[in-house]
């Protein structure tokens, strides 16, 4: 499939038609809630796996909503007369949202997927045909300039982002515009860049059809379209981070060697952030023989920035190559061609001594601190999205711990965080547990092992007593020297604060 096979896009200069189309879609309940009610949870979930058969079966009727789902989400031609009852069909034909198909049918030129905003907004994500329900690879779309719709990575990044009111936000590599759409809720000014002009056009359609504010759309790779004197309070990017031999697919392949695109993106961000501003990225990074992967990522962090980097998944090079070969539909190609592509991936990794590839989140915050905090960790366990508030709280705790030495911690009062439970592990019938685990049921859902003093300390943190007084009481109960207990416990208190189990009162 070549660029020539991509459909012409609707006009982005007809706000009157777009507004009428939006009203018609809402009037027919073509929304995220409306879809879920119509299709049912199994068929709705199947769409994200590129499986359309359950949805086709659920839309065999003739209600206005069923017609719109077949037209815009499942790419089925619909009789002109049946669409005219629901949409301003002639205006949509004239402005390019629809085209004639056969003698008496019309077809959509783009996918339109209903998407529920975090504040209950009814939004619509526009993408290229075949990309709203699972991505390009799932339906065999190999177009170089294809623009995908909403995927798991897009929603992960949106959920990670700190959502506080800001003056200026920047979405690098905007794609279909979902991050710019989210930013429009809390940013006075939104700028979006993309190396693919088609993506900028589609972003304009997404924003307009969602009834959101316009963004300043600029063509170019990453920071290239950004002026030297421009800085931002929020920067987000779901970049083309796939580590691949070449840059065959614009939406995923960065075109730089190895993980250089993600590295350079992170390193260049420091000078573009205002003090206190956040930057959020999804990224891949190489695990290289003889090198600690955490050291590799620490070297990416720009000066003057705190960082929190979380590795969510690691794949060996064969798993990684197979994942992205399937994404491109190469597994359905000629076996000899598939083998050649697979060999090319492995040759690339072997040349760079790469043994595995990590995936995760990178968050930066511009700080004036003399010694910025850099946390690099692995956390492959389930978390609770959205995590934006959890991310903000992490950096608040960084600030707190940076300004409180051990003596100050002992003078401070703390409260136990919400929905923390204690688990005791040991042999059945044993008098004392082998160890105690504190577990969060919210946010990162962390679990940390503590001793009996740590567990007892956390359990009585209700904000009424200082940490030092609590330790003195514990020392009296267990018959330990209170001075010794005060000396050895601040490190455990610091860990409990750092991981969010207890909070400053």
């Amino acid at each position: 499939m070549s660029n020539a096979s991509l459909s012409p896009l609707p006009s982005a200069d007809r706000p009157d038609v777009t507004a009428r189309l939006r009203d018609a879609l809402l009037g027919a309940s073509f929304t995220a809630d409306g879809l879920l009610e119509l299709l049912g949870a199994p068929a709705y979930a199947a769409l994200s796996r590129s499986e359309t058969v359950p949805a086709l079966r659920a839309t065999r009727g003739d209600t206005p909503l069923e017609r719109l789902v077949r037209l815009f989400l499942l790419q089925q031609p619909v009789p002109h007369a049946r669409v005219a009852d629901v949409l301003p069909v002639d205006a949509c034909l004239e402005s390019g949202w629809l085209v004639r198909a056969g003698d008496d049918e019309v077809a959509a030129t783009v996918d339109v997927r209903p998407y529920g905003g975090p504040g209950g907004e009814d939004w619509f994500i526009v993408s290229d045909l075949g990309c709203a329900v699972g991505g390009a690879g799932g339906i065999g779309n190999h177009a170089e300039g294809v623009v995908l719709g909403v995927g798991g990575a897009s929603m992960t990044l949106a959920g990670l982002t700190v959502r506080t009111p800001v003056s200026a936000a920047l979405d690098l590599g905007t794609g279909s515009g979902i991050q710019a759409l989210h930013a429009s809720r809390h940013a006075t000014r939104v700028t979006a860049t993309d190396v693919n002009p088609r993506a900028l056009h589609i972003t304009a359609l997404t924003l307009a059809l969602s009834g959101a504010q316009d963004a300043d759309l600029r063509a170019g790779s990453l920071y290239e379209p950004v002026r030297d004197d421009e800085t931002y309070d929020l920067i987000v990017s779901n970049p083309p981070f796939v580590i691949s031999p070449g840059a065959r697919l614009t939406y995923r392949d960065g075109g730089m060697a190895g993980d250089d695109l993600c590295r350079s993106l992170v390193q260049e961000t420091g000078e573009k952030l205002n003090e206190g501003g956040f930057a959020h990225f999804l990224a891949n990074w190489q695990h290289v023989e003889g090198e600690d992967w955490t050291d590799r990522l620490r070297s990416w962090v720009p000066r003057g920035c705190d960082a929190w980097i979380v590795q969510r998944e690691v794949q060996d090079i064969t798993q990684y190559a197979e994942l992205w070969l399937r994404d491109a539909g190469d597994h359905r190609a000629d076996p000899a061609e598939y083998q050649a592509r697979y060999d090319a991936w492995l040759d690339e990794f072997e040349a760079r001594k790469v043994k595995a590839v990590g995936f995760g989140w990178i968050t930066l915050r511009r700080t004036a601190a003399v010694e910025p905090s850099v946390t690099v960790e692995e956390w492959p366990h389930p978390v609770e999205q959205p995590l934006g508030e959890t991310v903000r709280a992490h950096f608040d705790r960084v600030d707190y711990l940076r300004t409180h030495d051990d003596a100050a911690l002992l003078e401070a009062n703390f409260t136990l965080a919400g929905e923390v439970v204690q688990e005791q592990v040991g042999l059945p019938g044993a008098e004392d547990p082998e160890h105690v685990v504190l577990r969060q049921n919210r946010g990162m859902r962390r679990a940390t092992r503590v001793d009996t003093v740590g567990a007892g300390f956390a359990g009585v943190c209700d904000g009424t007593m200082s940490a030092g007084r609590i330790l003195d009481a514990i020392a009296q109960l267990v018959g330990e020297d209170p001075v010794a207990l005060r000396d050895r416990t601040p490190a455990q208190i610091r860990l409990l604060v750092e991981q969010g189990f207890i909070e400053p009162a």
Side-chain angles (χ1 to χ4, degrees), residues 459-479:
V460 297
C461 281
D462 62 2
T464 61
M465 294 173 60
S466 70
R469 288 183 60 196
I470 292 174
L471 292 178
D472 291 343
I474 292 175
Q476 188 173 6
L477 284 172
V478 300

Side-chain angles (χ1 to χ4, degrees), residues 80-98:
H80 182 286
R82 307 310 296 148
V83 176
D85 291 345
V86 187
L87 302 177
V89 64
D90 291 334
C92 288
L93 284 165
E94 187 263 333
S95 60
W97 287 95
L98 302 174

Side-chain angles (χ1 to χ4, degrees), residues 3-57:
N3 275 340
S5 63
L6 290 172
S7 299
L9 295 174
S11 171
D13 300 320
R14 292 294 306 273
D16 55 327
V17 177
T18 305
R20 291 172 63 196
L21 175 58
R22 172 177 170 78
D23 289 344
L25 296 178
L26 294 176
S29 296
F30 186 65
T31 63
D33 289 343
L35 274 186
L36 183 59
E37 184 176 349
L38 171 68
L39 302 179
Y44 188 77
L47 290 177
S48 65
R49 304 191 301 269
S50 307
E51 297 292 347
T52 58
V53 172
L56 286 167
R57 291 174 61 86

Side-chain angles (χ1 to χ4, degrees), residues 181-419:
L181 183 57
H182 275 276
S184 71
R185 294 184 70 246
H186 61 104
T188 304
R189 177 171 56 87
V190 178
T191 301
T193 73
D194 205 290
V195 71
N196 182 3
R198 188 176 182 87
L200 297 177
H201 190 129
I202 283 180
T203 292
L205 296 175
T206 289
L207 294 172
L209 194 59
S210 298
Q213 64 163 301
D214 293 336
D216 180 3
L217 305 176
R218 304 182 188 179
S221 178
L222 302 179
Y223 285 112
E224 285 178 3
V226 178
R227 296 194 309 270
D228 291 343
D229 61 345
E230 288 182 303
T231 56
Y232 298 86
D233 307 298
L234 173 67
I235 298 173
V236 293
S237 184
N238 178 15
F241 54 67
V242 176
I243 300 170
S244 61
R248 189 160 56 112
L249 298 173
T250 306
Y251 70 86
R252 67 166 210 195
D253 301 324
M256 295 186 186
D259 52 17
D260 282 355
L261 183 137
C262 291
R263 175 188 55 78
S264 59
L265 171 61
V266 173
Q267 289 179 338
E268 292 172 16
T269 295
E271 61 188 28
K272 293 300 180 185
L273 270 181
N274 293 325
E275 186 170 336
F278 284 94
H280 304 273
F281 309 109
L282 302 184
N284 275 174
W285 43 79
Q286 299 172 150
H287 285 230
V288 179
E289 290 180 19
E291 177 185 78
D292 188 318
W293 68 270
T294 64
D295 290 340
R296 182 181 194 84
L297 288 170
R298 287 178 186 277
S299 73
W300 290 9
V301 178
R303 291 180 181 176
C305 287
D306 293 325
W308 184 21
I309 302 173
V310 182
Q311 180 167 270
R312 295 288 290 158
E313 185 179 2
V314 181
Q315 292 182 313
D316 68 46
I317 56 174
T318 59
Q319 292 173 310
Y320 188 80
E322 290 162 13
L323 169 67
W324 294 109
L325 287 166
R326 287 194 302 272
D327 173 80
D330 291 325
H331 59 302
R332 293 192 291 269
D334 175 75
E337 183 179 345
Y338 176 78
Q339 181 176 341
R341 291 194 185 279
Y342 201 148
D343 274 331
W345 284 71
L346 297 185
D347 287 345
E348 178 82 7
F349 287 133
E350 288 176 10
R352 298 183 175 279
K353 298 184 178 180
V354 176
K355 58 183 180 180
V357 176
F359 167 80
W361 320 322
I362 298 176
T363 298
L364 305 177
R365 184 188 61 167
R366 189 75 183 177
T367 180
V370 176
E371 293 187 15
S373 166
V374 177
T375 300
V376 183
E377 62 175 318
E378 185 165 22
W379 189 253
H381 310 293
V383 299
E384 180 192 42
Q385 282 276 30
L387 276 170
E389 183 59 24
T390 299
V391 172
R392 186 199 59 75
H394 167 88
F395 287 95
D396 286 348
R397 295 193 299 270
V398 165
D399 287 340
Y400 179 86
L401 292 172
R402 192 154 42 200
T403 57
H404 287 70
D405 60 14
D406 288 354
L409 287 181
L410 292 174
E411 291 297 321
N413 293 26
F414 298 96
T415 59
L416 185 67
E419 297 199 37

